[in-house]
Amino acid sequence: MFIKRSFLGLLLLACVLTAYPQGKKGKGYQYTIDLTNVVNDKLYVELLPPPTSQNEITFYLPKMVPGTYSIEDYGRFVSDFTAADKKGNKLVTEKLNDNAWKIKGAKKLAKISYWVEDSYDTQLPGPEIFQPAGTNIEDGKNFVLNTSGFFGYLDGVKDTPFQFSVIRPEAFYGSSGLIPLQTGKPLSTVRKEAGTGDKAKRVDTFQATNYDELIDSPLMYAKPDTAVIKVANTEVLIGAYSPNNRVTAKQIAASIREVLMAQKEFLGGKLPVNKYAFIFYFTDQPVTSYGALEHSYSSFYYMPEQTIDEMNQQLRDFAAHEFFHIVTPLTIHSEEIGHFDFNDPKMSQHLWMYEGVTEYFAGSVQVRYGLITPEEYLDVLREKMVTADQFVNDVPFTDISRFTLDKYHDQYGNVYMKGALIGLCLDLKLRKLSGGKTGLPDLLMELSKKYGKEKSFRDDVLFDEITAMTYPQIGEFFAKHVKGTEPLPLAEVLGTAGVLYKDEVQVEDYSMGLSQNNIGITQVNGKPMLEISTTANMNEMGVALGFQNGDVLQKINGETLPDLGPELGAFLQRQRDALPTLKTMAFTVLRKDASGAQQPVELSAPMRKVKVSQKHLLAFDPDATPEQIALRNSWLKK
């Protein structure tokens, strides 16, 4: 996709965009981005900035954005950064770091322009950007416009309107949670001089009240594939891009409709937004990670391309989680989020609420409204307990949250596991203390009323405020299990709802010889594959098979492993289900020989039962008391 850039082409494009009227000076930021001219896999961005009285001023692109909890350094994708006065004379600029440019003679500043490369296929050094927060430039096919990757701000000038216009092919549609000022206007009617190719171009114009709202508003442009669901007072847009048309927006809408309707009831019948957009980008390339990122009025999904049947439940789980973020952090957030510093970010200690409680609600709403059975819900909880065991458990969860950008970055995934289990414990404790009358959803609704979108809470007083709103025992729980390091009282709280809990039991069962702790990911000829990262603590079957550190898994019982992605999970589950029928367990691995070259090696061992540990076993108590059953019904039924 990289081609030699033509200087003449750049000059002509710059002239075309300069002729495009951006609005009057003094009315905030006026941006333009042109999707119809892709050069060297880059897009040209032009800004008419608000005036400044400073002789020098710094222009920033974000170092990080809310919701990702990792550094992105979006400015490293910028090249040919230029500042000019109203006559087109260049001003002196100095690049301070990856994300900042100092502009000298800024009183004369009339225009800023630069080129932006996308993050999806970049070869640039720096941190890998989580794809739902990234950018994509596929000329004539798809553009993922996470605004953080294209638009910046002047130091100290964020709380002013941002208007941006997108020049697009006539056949393209922009999916976004933003309500456009205008859409589909012919380029020739808004530009001073029309060119020969302008008849096939259209302009969409959007406005955000400030930089926070701008960065909170991703867009995706492609040929239209959309559907709309009316959920209470909210118009919900589904926009999808599937390169091989394996899934459509209408199929997605049919899949998640029940979840959205259940969430509406869960939240009291009315939602705090008038428009919401689910934006789906499906890739047909092998993936090592995928997921979604929440925004106040939308959520963006990067997922492997599959049929709707293959990903139906995962779509529901993702949608349920991200949609619940309209409660927190949209209407409940600390000052660190309400006044987010994009280039010197400060982290809140309350990821247990932002992500953990949101994840807990995503499962709770499905069992309460009959989308999954109570037994299936216990399996969901057990999976979180088992996965949480892979993370540290001797560090306060508040510290993991506050220091998630640095020393506890590798612990971030636990917010969806232990964070959700914190939500579980709080919900059951609140229901027990109130005699089943109120639970965690009621607490969140009260906090939403107390704060709301425009008011932030102080990070260091939230626990005290929640305790004052509820019971002293809730404050004790926070002190011991969230601010402290005591293990969560899972047996105690689940027991109040008549759920039997066993921390660990030893059983004899069939095994493939591997556990998740033995597996890592390596690159083979540029392709991600599973490898044996460690043979430590393998069970008897793994020892009998003879795995070695560094073995790359190629086949299981003669079947080639699929590429990393959802198909791999289904493949491994099918292999596990077949274990009782096998006489021999077999693997083909790639193993380095004496010269360092990888050679296929066949491993096999007779299939037999071995001792395995099963952790966090959950079951409904058949002898539960009426009081326990009443609390269980309060917890699991609407």
Side-chain angles (χ1 to χ4, degrees), residues 230 295 587:
K230 189 71 174 178
H295 299 273
F587 284 83

Side-chain angles (χ1 to χ4, degrees), residues 131-175:
Q131 291 89 346
T135 57
N136 186 49
I137 300 171
E138 289 182 85
D139 193 10
K141 295 182 179 180
N142 175 276
F143 297 89
V144 173
L145 304 182
N146 267 297
T147 45
S148 49
F150 293 96
F151 304 137
Y153 64 95
L154 296 173
D155 187 25
V157 192
K158 290 193 302 180
D159 293 324
T160 191
F162 284 74
Q163 183 172 304
F164 66 96
S165 294
V166 180
I167 302 174
R168 60 170 171 85
E170 184 177 18
F172 272 36
Y173 175 81
S175 297

Side-chain angles (χ1 to χ4, degrees), residues 323-515:
F323 197 57
F324 266 130
H325 276 300
I326 62 177
V327 177
T328 178
L330 174 58
T331 59
I332 311 171
H333 51 257
S334 69
E335 293 168 343
E336 286 78 2
I337 291 180
H339 308 286
F340 191 80
D341 190 327
F342 293 92
N343 289 84
D344 187 18
K346 307 294 189 300
M347 293 294 98
S348 166
Q349 63 181 311
H350 296 298
L351 278 177
W352 68 270
M353 181 176 69
Y354 301 138
E355 295 294 346
V357 169
T358 301
E359 177 67 8
Y360 171 67
F361 282 169
S364 178
V365 70
Q366 294 189 63
V367 68
R368 286 177 66 86
Y369 287 86
L371 303 181
I372 59 176
T373 67
E375 290 74 18
E376 289 172 328
Y377 184 53
L378 291 188
D379 289 339
V380 171
L381 295 177
R382 178 176 182 257
E383 183 179 355
K384 294 190 180 301
M385 295 172 191
V386 170
T387 308
D389 285 346
Q390 300 172 29
F391 297 91
V392 299
N393 200 31
D394 57 354
V395 177
F397 209 74
T398 48
D399 285 355
I400 288 175
S401 181
R402 282 188 298 175
F403 302 112
T404 192
L405 294 184
D406 35 68
K407 62 181 177 179
Y408 294 128
H409 184 62
D410 61 345
Q411 300 298 308
Y412 173 72
N414 207 14
V415 300
Y416 302 103
M417 306 303 159
K418 186 176 179 180
L421 298 174
I422 290 172
L424 165 71
C425 293
L426 281 171
D427 197 13
L428 286 173
K429 288 183 77 71
L430 286 168
R431 293 179 190 279
K432 173 68 174 177
L433 291 166
S434 67
K437 294 179 181 178
T438 59
L440 189 55
D442 304 284
L443 172 60
L444 269 290
M445 290 301 102
E446 289 302 311
L447 286 170
S448 294
K449 293 175 185 177
K450 183 172 184 176
Y451 292 103
K453 184 179 180 182
E454 304 302 327
K455 184 179 178 182
S456 303
F457 62 78
R458 280 179 48 198
D459 207 65
D460 58 347
V461 302
L462 180 64
F463 288 137
D464 291 336
E465 294 199 17
I466 291 177
T467 302
M469 295 168 65
T470 57
Y471 307 92
Q473 294 92 325
I474 299 301
E476 294 171 6
F477 172 82
F478 284 132
K480 291 180 180 179
H481 307 290
V482 186
K483 294 178 70 174
T485 59
E486 291 189 26
L488 292 175
L490 295 173
E492 173 196 332
V493 295
L494 288 165
T496 63
V499 177
L500 300 173
Y501 171 83
K502 290 185 179 180
D503 179 62
E504 184 174 10
V505 296
Q506 294 289 327
V507 299
E508 285 198 345
D509 200 359
Y510 294 104
S511 169
M512 296 173 66
L514 300 171
S515 72

